[in-house]
Amino acid sequence: MSHGRDKQNYLFAESDMFATIEQRKQQVKSWVDSLDENHITNSSIEDLCTYVENEFRLDTPELQDDQALVDQREAEVEVNDNFLYGHFDESRPLRLSGTLVELVVPFTGNGNLFRLRPNTFSSMPPRAIVQNDHLVLQVAGVQLEQARVSNALKSQIADIKKYLDWQRADTNPFNTGLRELARGHIERRKQKLLNNRNLVAGLGFAMKKRPDASATYTAPVARKRIAPKLPVAGTAPYKPEPVLDEGEYQNILDIMMNMAFLMERSPSAFTTIDEEDLRQHFLVQLNGQYEGQATGETFNYQGKTDILGPVNTKERLRAPSMRDGTN
């Protein structure tokens, strides 16, 4: 009943599932290592883990045999029992005109996994043709009987489902642990990057200035990134908070003073503007020199502050208020 010995179409016979899963784990690590620093330090870890879950999971196919469609056509089929037809040349297979019955079975999941041999398997894997989102099961013969064809197709479906169950026993633990696997790689790389940045910030040298910085009025100041500096850890465990380097603090004060001197030299340009517009002039100078966004009239955890400069997405550096009595 074979359509042809030259077309075996064995499923689950090309690659090993265990080796594929180990390779997949390495691919997750390689993907995390290939991300640029911005993605690691400025993206949500949970969002990155969700991406890894969707991109690298192994979705074992699931047959939808209740939606299967059957068809038949005339075809030349290879006959196994040569002697029955008086054919005694075993070196040359006998082919006769017969009937080919095909059952098209849709499936969900990743069709590439039909190539992978699960850790549990039998000596004779099932056969089918994988096409996009469906399998084609075949039964061929010269004189086909309805009951025999029905039993053969049902037997093929049962064998394929058995292999898929074995395969699912391998893929489910991998998929379940994929998020934590990704989280471990992401957190380790993020910590390494943050350690590198804190290392440079704490060396005591001036931060490298950007070549595209523009001058501001009387005192040219290059655009620089505010680098938070971790304080020295005490004996008791605590979460370090970022502090502004003294040199950067003085640089910010210089920018503010330069703006104040400009206002003194051109008082007529500022006599008619209100406090909010006046604040905007200071913000323009700060945002022009530092990467990030300084904000005005921002609510802080202890109340509203006039000018707030960002350190990262969670913490901010507070500038002296125009109304709290400080200069």
Side-chain angles (χ1 to χ4, degrees):
M1 297 179 67
S2 173
H3 187 214
R5 293 178 182 174
D6 56 331
K7 295 184 178 180
Q8 299 298 328
N9 298 317
Y10 284 114
L11 302 177
F12 311 106
E14 294 185 28
S15 303
D16 180 71
M17 175 61 75
F18 178 79
T20 299
I21 289 178
E22 293 303 310
Q23 182 183 37
R24 205 74 159 183
K25 292 178 181 179
Q26 185 58 43
Q27 287 173 347
V28 173
K29 182 179 185 303
S30 298
W31 180 82
V32 173
D33 291 341
S34 70
L35 286 177
D36 59 75
E37 292 189 16
N38 253 359
H39 269 105
I40 291 293
T41 57
N42 297 331
S43 297
S44 163
I45 291 181
E46 295 305 318
D47 289 345
L48 292 175
C49 289
T50 298
Y51 175 86
V52 170
E53 273 189 317
N54 294 331
E55 181 69 16
F56 293 94
R57 67 178 290 110
L58 295 170
D59 290 317
T60 297
E62 185 170 342
L63 297 186
Q64 298 176 308
D65 48 301
D66 59 331
Q67 302 178 27
L69 299 175
V70 67
D71 194 12
Q72 60 80 32
R73 68 176 185 271
E74 287 186 321
E76 185 182 75
V77 298
E78 182 178 321
V79 178
N80 295 327
D81 193 353
N82 294 348
F83 294 99
L84 180 64
Y85 295 93
H87 183 78
F88 304 104
D89 185 0
E90 296 185 359
S91 64
R92 183 171 57 89
L94 176 63
R95 295 179 179 273
L96 299 175
S97 177
T99 303
L100 174 66
V101 177
E102 292 186 329
L103 184 68
V104 178
V105 184
F107 66 82
T108 59
N110 188 346
N112 291 325
L113 269 64
F114 282 114
R115 300 183 297 103
L116 303 181
R117 182 177 61 252
N119 293 330
T120 302
F121 58 92
S122 64
S123 59
M124 184 60 67
R127 291 186 294 183
I129 301 172
V130 183
Q131 294 183 347
N132 298 323
D133 58 353
H134 61 270
L135 296 181
V136 179
L137 281 57
Q138 296 180 330
V139 177
V142 176
Q143 295 178 333
L144 295 179
E145 299 176 359
Q146 186 180 71
R148 189 178 179 187
V149 172
S150 177
N151 290 336
L153 292 174
K154 290 178 180 178
S155 177
Q156 290 181 49
I157 291 175
D159 285 345
I160 294 173
K161 284 187 173 181
K162 180 173 62 177
Y163 261 78
L164 291 176
D165 287 340
W166 287 338
Q167 193 178 84
R168 204 170 285 112
D170 299 332
T171 58
N172 281 351
F174 168 74
N175 292 334
T176 301
L178 190 53
R179 190 175 190 88
E180 289 308 310
L181 175 68
R183 188 194 308 279
H185 291 313
I186 293 169
E187 288 180 344
R188 281 190 290 273
R189 181 153 185 245
K190 184 173 184 177
Q191 188 59 52
K192 179 182 178 182
L193 293 174
L194 293 178
N195 289 343
N196 290 344
R197 292 185 181 183
N198 288 335
L199 170 66
V200 173
L203 291 177
F205 296 97
M207 299 295 292
K208 183 178 180 180
K209 297 184 178 181
R210 295 182 51 163
D212 59 345
S214 58
T216 63
Y217 301 108
T218 58
V221 182
R223 296 183 65 192
K224 297 184 288 183
R225 184 188 303 275
I226 297 179
K229 186 177 181 180
L230 294 178
V232 178
T235 55
Y238 75 102
K239 181 180 178 181
E241 296 183 358
V243 296
L244 187 61
D245 183 81
E246 178 64 24
E248 298 293 347
Y249 177 67
Q250 293 299 328
N251 189 49
I252 292 174
L253 291 183
D254 288 342
I255 295 173
M256 304 288 280
M257 290 296 294
N258 290 334
M259 186 61 207
F261 290 151
L262 175 68
M263 294 169 60
E264 290 180 358
R265 295 190 183 98
S266 305
S268 60
F270 300 93
T271 54
T272 59
I273 63 176
D274 56 21
E275 179 183 351
E276 183 177 350
D277 292 333
L278 184 63
R279 184 186 300 107
Q280 286 299 116
H281 283 280
F282 284 91
L283 290 174
V284 166
Q285 302 310 312
L286 289 173
N287 283 327
Q289 302 305 316
Y290 285 94
E291 296 182 16
Q293 294 181 346
T295 59
E297 284 292 313
T298 303
F299 281 98
N300 205 4
Y301 75 102
Q302 291 180 334
K304 184 183 288 188
T305 186
D306 275 1
I307 296 177
L308 208 61
V311 174
N312 54 41
T313 56
K314 295 182 179 178
E315 293 140 337
R316 290 172 173 266
L317 298 177
R318 180 175 179 269
S321 172
M322 292 182 174
R323 296 192 298 272
D324 63 3
T326 61
N327 293 321

